[in-house]
Amino acid sequence: MAGEDPNQAMPVIFGKSSCSEFFSEAHTAVVYHNKSPEFYEEFKMKIPGNLTENHHLLFTFYHVSCRQNQSSGLETPAGYTWIPLMQHGRLRTGPFALPVSVEKPPPSYSVLTPDVQLPGMKWVDNHKPVFTVDLVAASSVHTQDPHLDKFFTLVQVMEEQSFPFRLKDVIITENNVESELRSSMGNLRLAALGPAVCFCHQLLDKLILLIVRPPIIGGQIVNLGRAAFEVIALLVSQIHRTLEGAQDQHGRNGLLASYLHFAFHLPSDMPAQLHSSHPGSTATSAVHSATLSRATGRPSSLNLARCRSISNSNPDLTSTPDSTDDEEVQKIMGGKGIDRSHSWVNSAYCPGGPKSVQRRTQPSSNTELRQLLHEELALQWVVSGSAVREAALSQAWFFFQLMTKSMTLHLHNSERLDAPRKQRFPERFVDDILALVTNICTDITSRYLKDGELVERLNSSLAFFLNDLLSLMDRHFVFNLIRTYYKQINNKLGKAQNANVLISLRMDLIRIVCSHEHYVALNLPCGSLSPPSSPSPSISSTASQGSVFSSPAQDRTVTNMFELSVPFRQQHFLSGLVLTELAMILEPDVEGVFFLQKKSISTLHNLLCSHDTDPRYSKPVVKERVARLYLPLIGVVLETLSQLYDFTAEPHSQRVRHASAIADEVDADGTFISPAVANAIAGSPLPVVHKTCSFPLPSPPVRAGNALSAESSRNLLVCALWVLKNAEQDVLQRWFSGLSVLQLTRLLELLSLCVSCFQYKGTKAFERINSMTFKKSLDMKARLEEAILGTIGARQDMVKRSRERSPYGSQENVRWRKNITQWKPTGEKTEKTQAERELEVTVDGNMATEANLVVLDTLEIIVQTVMMSELKESILGGVLKVLLHSMGYNQSSVYLQHCFTSQRSLVCKFPEMLFEDDTELCSDLCLRLLRHCSSWISIVRAQASASLYLLMRQNFEIGNNFARVKMQVTMSLSSLVGTSQRFNEEHLRRSLKTILTYSQEDVELRDTTFPEQVQDLVFNLHMILTDTVKMKAHQGDPEMLMDLMYRIAKGYQNSPDLRLTWLQNMAAKHTERVNHAEAAHCFVHGAALVAEYLSMLEDARHLPVGCVNFQNISSNILEESAVSDDVVSPDEEGICTGKYFTEAGLVGLLEKAAVSFEKGGLFEAVNEVYKLLIPIYEANRDYKKLSSVHGKLQDAFNKITNQRMFGTYFRVGFYGSKFGDLDDQEFVYKEPSITKLAEISHRLEEFYTDQFGEGNVQVVKDSNHVDKTKLDPNKAYIQITYVEPFFDTYELKDRVTYFDKNYNLRTFLFCTPFTLDGRAHGDLHEQYKRKTVLTTSNAFPYIKTRVNVLHREEVVLIPVEVAIEDMQKKTQELVFATHQDPADAKMLQMVLQGCVGTTVNQGPLEVAQVFLAEIPEDPRLYRLHNKLRLCFRDFTKSCEDALRKNKSLIGADQREYQRELERNYLRLREALNPLTSRKIPQLYSDLLPHTSARDSINRSSLRRIEA
């Protein structure tokens, strides 16, 4: 009810769903016959916002009669009670226990509570509280907290000057209002958190109002600034801690951030000044300052000597409210003449000092006194105590933004945005800011270890504050603040425990400061070299922005523009800081800074990205000025070139696989030759696995342990390319002209690295990377499951983390530190969509084109610079190599057109570079041009064909012969055949036809031999292409492919360069298939070929004399003997011109051979190779190499054991017309060790089934002779037999070691059991054996894995001979097991068990009973019978030795087993004794009677009688 009249009942009670919206009264349910009724109803009311003390709730209790009475109705009022809603200015809520009146309340009851016992009223139960009710309020108007209510009430009292005022039991007067207000402000920290959060915006407004407009009470200014600041700091800190979950990504509380952004405004439109005047005071009454007890002391340690105006922030300095229109301006301008040198701040008159006094001044008027919020905040922050200061530091972002917004609004309201920056703020405020920043820097440097999270937030808040100040204050002053910060950080770095943390904080600050919208203007891109007194003119932002790029060209040396010199860093302050940070963190001797390197490079990268996308800097002339700010970056990158990630070191096969997705570069049928066939083809191809900058370079330093990651290196190279692209060409040219050859060479190496870094990978590469990322996420999930299930220990996890490095523990990829890493939700999608992948591919292609075009432009500038220089020869070769390197990658057609144009121009201007000096350049160029001649893009083929033709023409014009180009083109095509998966035969034939057409229509050379020579070259190239077709047809058959490559190499017997090329092709193919022994022999054959021709060119004693010196390595080596001099001469133009036909080339081939031999386990062959290398090293006095060689020999000798596994050999025969040339051919295949017969059988059957069709291939299961007349002519038959190396008796004398018995193998043996009736196996007396000895055309290992069978020899063994072989084999096994060193008891027992065990002793015994029971009738078998008898005697003797050896090896637990073996042996010996002791008399008697004549010719002992 709004009053006591029933008509004043307010319709504020919400109705039920089927009734009106609001009612003025509501009823509970009837409670029947209950003396203590309980009502469960809940009523919802919409109370008005402007409640008065007359608003109350009235409760009426009714008695409901069950019988209708005529005199009275059904409902009879039985009692009344009420609740006043407002009391002492507060909304009353909570539980109430109320007495109930029997009579109606008297008038004016609403202002009292029922607790007051009014006279003349009757109460139920003698005024006891009998009715209980709860009031719960949900209000945005009433705080419902006593502390907040008291504070808001006191502030309102002071605003309205309503003294005296009753607040509960306290009368508020002018005398006690200050103490009550201070007390209420102090008690705000005790307020309930809910209401404090709900009303924080109003609370902050009132506190700020108290700071900005200190109240005047009794003519005195009451300074509540310090108390208000303390409350704000504690309140903000409390809200932030409580609502920790409501923070944004920067750690800012959303409620406080919304207050700053939307709710906060300067109190200029707030209610009038809080002041009071006595009733008797006049307009000229005095306004006195607060007493010293209220003073906010400013410590004397603050350096405020430069302040010349009286600060209203200091209550001890009397101030007078001004009556002028613009009080702040008047104070600032009027205060200029006031000397503050006698202020208590700098004198003994400070509070507590020996001469402290209270000074007062009489005011001129009583108008309101205003103070500036930002000035008071800065002052109070500086002089705050420890607890308040800590709270303010923890939420520094709030106070910094509050100050910034206050400063901005102040400038706007006072129309000072166009004023000079130095005049915008008074000097006392500038001093306060300086002191504040200095103190915060001190906190950062002193607490960065123990309060890392706090310091990181504080550092970021300071950085954003400095960023804002650049838009508001004098920029020279802000730059001095940054210098102050840097100075304190640098002073701490020398003695810091973990300096990387401080460096990281410094980087964060400069990164944030440099994100200013006028960053470029702040760096004075057009200023003079001598910096002005202020880094930025003190003019308005608008004016300065408009004149950034209007300054004339600067008068400074080019050198200073490209170095981080003092003039540069003074002129371009912020960019100088960024580049200096980068240069310092990239120094090679700095360790453990991966994270810092990434952060520093990212800062620069983000800056350049913002410049590139900023429409203000879109004009080229403007970008040139912006690029000037970063010119020293080129020098920084050159200095750290050795630390960059080596993109060229990635396996070329991987890069080609990435590139295989390019639709215009892949063969139409999808087939290709493996790219790993050759690393160095055609004499001197461009080795892609190494850096292509083979021009004169100092040996690059070993990449340090802190080499940059691929991502950081890529970003750094992007930045360098951006600078090169946008810098002024004449400036670059002048700088290049002053560089030394070494520096230019390093620049070329940098450009080459850029080409490698920004190669186009293609669609499939990104799909592969995306799938790998998805697999990685699954792997991380599995690792997480391991950790949860406990399968990975905490210790291992801790050790793994400790090995990672960051500035916080020295690792780059920190995942467990939540304050530096944003947690990614587990539901984040790891697999990219198709649109994202397509965009990624497009961006990658555009980036590759742009980067390479920038490199090309830079190369053009270098050429123009060094063209007239005497050092051009040493640089131009490097320029061409960078061009060739770029041609070797997948490039866009746009780039290739420009690249070919530059290449033709370069070759035309400097032909001697290709045809007189460096053979490798010509070889590389031919290889690249031929590769692009096979492109699917017609315009690329046209450009490449033109370049190749002009190359031939240029070579011909020099010497009427282009033999060099002819040879290099032929070798390059041979290389292309075996290496490029983008090679397309049809398109290359078109390009060759184009070249032929050029030669025929060239008018100038039509009458020369040039067209005819071109025609011969094209014919030879077509022949190579024909071989290519065959190679592609046999791509899936590695043996046939190697045979074809072997045949091609054989065909180039008269061309050493091409033969060497194909030998290297074969070596690369073997290496790809892990056939290291065969690869080594390819290198050995190549080395022998080089040695053969080197011996013709020069007579050097330390070099091998041709192939003869290589025979200890391989017996096949004589194939490389040089042909007759009248056929090939190494002095002929174009012959033996490759880089391998030198001493260094020979050494390189032999070293590769040694490496491959070692990988193949052929350590004895490694020794033979080094026997050829050591004399060369000794002749060159290369002791470092000698040391390395002897170390490798020691390692190789230590690895020589009999446990090595060499190859397994199989005889494979092909039968059937389907095989073509292979029909009726026999080969010996060398397979990897432990290859089973079933494996090779399945491989060959599966391959030829795919080739000939299902059901057309049949594997012959036996090893008997194949009768071709019985074979199906429509089928293909394969016979596969396991064979073993075979040696004659005399050979075994030299083949002693395990290696000897597996090296230089030419003869092989396989055995075929049979019986005379056609069965393979029968009884012992029926079992025959056929031993087949195969002789191959070349010895294994060879340069290929299958060799033709040259000769076949068969020997048939009769049954007794088969038995003799079996017994000899058993005896040998026994002897080996007995004399094995060290002894192997298990092996010995296994062999013994097989010889004398009860289960198998029937084997030897049965053999003896079959063949020794009776003397054979055929005299020709006598010796075989006797030989078998002697074999059994050897066998029994070996069994006895083995038993004796075993007895010495066993322990007590095997004694019974030993006795059992001995009993079995005795039984076997007893059974064999009668059989082995029987002799054949005829062998021991003369076959013919003696004669007296001594005729040696007729002596029977020398003759064999055949029956």
Side-chain angles (χ1 to χ4, degrees), residues 548-567:
V548 174
F549 300 103
S550 59
S551 302
Q554 309 304 317
D555 182 20
R556 56 180 172 181
T557 62
V558 177
T559 303
N560 280 338
M561 296 170 65
F562 286 86
E563 292 180 357
L564 280 172
S565 58
V566 174

Side-chain angles (χ1 to χ4, degrees), residues 25-41:
E25 62 181 21
H27 299 273
T28 67
V30 177
V31 180
Y32 182 70
H33 280 208
N34 192 342
K35 293 183 179 181
S36 300
E38 293 185 3
F39 304 99
Y40 296 95
E41 277 75 12

